[in-house]
Amino acid sequence: MNADRAEVCDLLAEYGALIDMARFDEWLDLFAEKCRYQIVPRENFDRGLPAALVFCDSRAMLEDRIRALREANKYNIHTDRHVIGLPRIVDAGLTVEAPFAVFQTDQEGETRLFATGLYRDRLEVFGQRLKIRDKLVLLDSFAVPTLLATPL
Amino acid sequence: MNADRAEVCDLLAEYGALIDMARFDEWLDLFAEKCRYQIVPRENFDRGLPAALVFCDSRAMLEDRIRALREANKYNIHTDRHVIGLPRIVDAGLTVEAPFAVFQTDQEGETRLFATGLYRDRLEVFGQRLKIRDKLVLLDSFAVPTLLATPL
Amino acid sequence: MNADRAEVCDLLAEYGALIDMARFDEWLDLFAEKCRYQIVPRENFDRGLPAALVFCDSRAMLEDRIRALREANKYNIHTDRHVIGLPRIVDAGLTVEAPFAVFQTDQEGETRLFATGLYRDRLEVFGQRLKIRDKLVLLDSFAVPTLLATPL
């Protein structure tokens, strides 16, 4: 089945917006039951090295991850802002790539660039909805500070 | 009436581009006669605190605001660049949310991150055109330097 | 002939993505045979000054340029990330403007804002494909560090 361009764009936008609002249950619900979520430094990826910074190959694992992040964030209070750039939509809308920049604002009100990278998503149509089956977050840096503090 | 996705995207893009070109009369014309424009730190918004950094509830008030900014900018010469991310378009296209990052470049040619946040717009269809009825700029920081210097 | 909005967005997204992946041959192929590519500081442009930082008025010249960049980058190892914001699509889709931010990550893993600006593209339809006929990169700063190191 094909996916509509508008739906793909909305899914990406929602993905970022839900993290930024810390609405993680709804964020989890964007993923299919059987899903994979990885954060890999692009340098590793380009060299074919398997080492991921984060690797979850089921939604249950992703839920655990989010629980841990929430706990950690009690000690690292900040807000996130995802700015997702124009996506490339290929493969009948079921594969999409989009560059992103994530900014963080701390309790003193200082906003800083946190990370940049590229999403490579494989999507699936479930009834009326589009879900994420496989999300690869290619991170431009291998040295993201306090990486644990936020999903990307 | 419904709004077309392409028109909504064009309106958002035009909104940022007109500020960046300092074409403020055309920018004002993107708003409906009866309009509201607010800049609110997201922290205040999330806590239900009403304090806005900027609050204009008519286009006349917004015009005054812009006049004041222009005067102030004679002493703070810079240029802006709005990068608006993928939007979420809901409610038949008449409600839209989009994350943004604004960068400023000073007279020495240094470009810096100025502010990040989220637009929450309510739009209206006027004849052939889409106009902004209510714009809420949720600012990630409560401590934006020289905030007065630019519309967001 | 007209251009489809989705194709225009895909072309812009591909433009950025191919630079970021350093796939410059495919990037060159996004340009028409007869093309022009310029990088101009917006201050110069606004004042009608002709001085471009980069000026190529054929694809052959652009190819030379890329060859030189590749050589230079052996000594300035970094990766790029283009985040391209919502575009304004005008003139039956054959003229498009889009704001951008480019981030660079160095070998130590530090990611920094590199440049911001605006693309002004004139496109052409070649058979089934859309190509860039004229690309004007309006750069917000006249003082981009190590500008030579990357196409914008």
Side-chain angles (χ1 to χ4, degrees), chain B residues 73-84:
Chain B
N73 280 341
K74 290 180 185 166
Y75 308 98
N76 172 24
I77 297 170
H78 68 272
T79 56
D80 295 314
R81 183 64 60 202
H82 285 67
V83 177
I84 303 178

Side-chain angles (χ1 to χ4, degrees), chain C residues 16-88:
Chain C
L18 289 171
I19 298 174
D20 295 346
M21 291 185 285
R23 282 159 57 180
F24 294 115
D25 292 330
E26 288 161 83
W27 179 77
L28 283 166
D29 194 44
L30 301 179
F31 289 86
E33 271 311 320
K34 291 192 180 179
C35 66
R36 195 168 60 167
Y37 172 87
Q38 295 178 80
I39 304 181
V40 182
R42 70 182 274 183
E43 201 182 354
N44 290 9
F45 187 83
D46 290 346
R47 294 181 183 180
L49 300 173
L53 293 170
V54 173
F55 182 87
C56 299
D57 66 356
S58 70
R59 198 157 72 184
M61 217 170 143
L62 202 49
E63 281 172 33
D64 280 351
R65 176 85 197 169
I66 288 298
R67 207 163 350 200
L69 288 183
R70 284 176 149 167
E71 191 55 37
N73 280 341
K74 290 181 186 166
Y75 308 99
N76 171 25
I77 297 169
H78 69 272
T79 56
D80 295 314
R81 183 63 60 201
H82 285 67
V83 178
I84 302 177
L86 285 182
R88 287 168 82 194

Side-chain angles (χ1 to χ4, degrees), chain A residues 98-124:
Chain A
F100 66 86
V102 178
F103 302 91
Q104 285 195 344
T105 303
D106 65 21
Q107 283 192 285
E108 277 70 46
E110 181 135 9
T111 302
R112 290 188 193 82
L113 177 65
F114 177 67
T116 63
L118 185 76
Y119 295 133
R120 276 199 194 152
D121 295 357
R122 290 199 55 77
L123 309 177
E124 270 182 6

Side-chain angles (χ1 to χ4, degrees), chain A residues 4-65:
Chain A
D4 180 62
R5 187 182 185 85
E7 281 176 73
V8 174
C9 287
D10 278 338
L11 177 62
L12 277 168
E14 215 171 339
Y15 178 93
L18 290 172
I19 297 173
D20 294 347
M21 291 185 286
R23 283 159 57 179
F24 294 115
D25 291 331
E26 289 160 83
W27 179 76
L28 282 166
D29 194 43
L30 301 179
F31 289 85
E33 272 311 320
K34 292 193 180 178
C35 66
R36 194 168 59 166
Y37 173 88
Q38 296 178 80
I39 303 180
V40 182
R42 69 183 275 184
E43 203 183 354
N44 290 10
F45 187 83
D46 290 346
R47 293 179 184 182
L49 300 174
L53 293 170
V54 173
F55 182 87
C56 300
D57 67 355
S58 70
R59 198 157 71 182
M61 218 172 144
L62 202 48
E63 281 172 32
D64 280 352
R65 176 85 197 166

Side-chain angles (χ1 to χ4, degrees), chain B residues 19 22 24 65 68-80 102-110 112 114 144-152:
Chain B
I19 298 174
F24 294 114
R65 176 86 197 167
L69 288 182
R70 282 176 151 168
E71 191 55 36
N73 280 341
K74 290 180 185 166
Y75 308 98
N76 172 24
I77 297 170
H78 68 272
T79 56
D80 295 314
V102 178
F103 303 92
Q104 286 195 344
T105 302
D106 65 21
Q107 283 192 285
E108 278 69 48
E110 181 135 8
R112 289 186 192 84
F114 177 66
V144 170
T146 58
L147 176 70
L148 287 170
T150 200
L152 285 174

Side-chain angles (χ1 to χ4, degrees), chain B residues 27-58:
Chain B
W27 179 77
L28 282 166
D29 194 44
L30 301 179
F31 289 86
E33 272 311 320
K34 292 192 181 179
C35 66
R36 194 166 61 166
Y37 173 86
Q38 295 179 80
I39 303 180
V40 182
R42 70 183 275 182
E43 203 183 353
N44 290 9
F45 187 83
D46 290 346
R47 294 181 184 180
L49 299 174
L53 292 170
V54 173
F55 182 87
C56 300
D57 68 354
S58 70

Side-chain angles (χ1 to χ4, degrees), chain A residues 6 9-10 12-14 17-18 20-21 79-87 103 105 107-113, chain B residues 5 42-43 83-89 97 99-101 103 113 115-118 120 138-144:
Chain A
C9 287
D10 278 338
L12 277 168
E14 215 171 339
L18 290 172
D20 294 347
M21 291 185 286
T79 56
D80 295 314
R81 183 63 60 202
H82 285 67
V83 177
I84 303 177
L86 285 183
F103 302 91
T105 303
Q107 283 192 285
E108 277 70 46
E110 181 135 9
T111 302
R112 290 188 193 82
L113 177 65
Chain B
R5 186 181 185 87
R42 70 183 275 182
E43 203 183 353
V83 177
I84 303 178
L86 285 183
R88 287 169 83 194
I89 297 177
E97 287 187 6
F100 65 86
F103 303 92
L113 177 65
T116 62
L118 184 76
R120 276 199 194 152
L138 284 172
L139 205 57
D140 287 332
S141 175
F142 53 84
V144 170

Side-chain angles (χ1 to χ4, degrees), chain A residues 141-143, chain C residues 104-112:
Chain A
S141 176
F142 53 84
Chain C
Q104 285 194 345
T105 303
D106 65 22
Q107 282 192 286
E108 277 69 47
E110 181 135 9
T111 303
R112 290 186 193 84

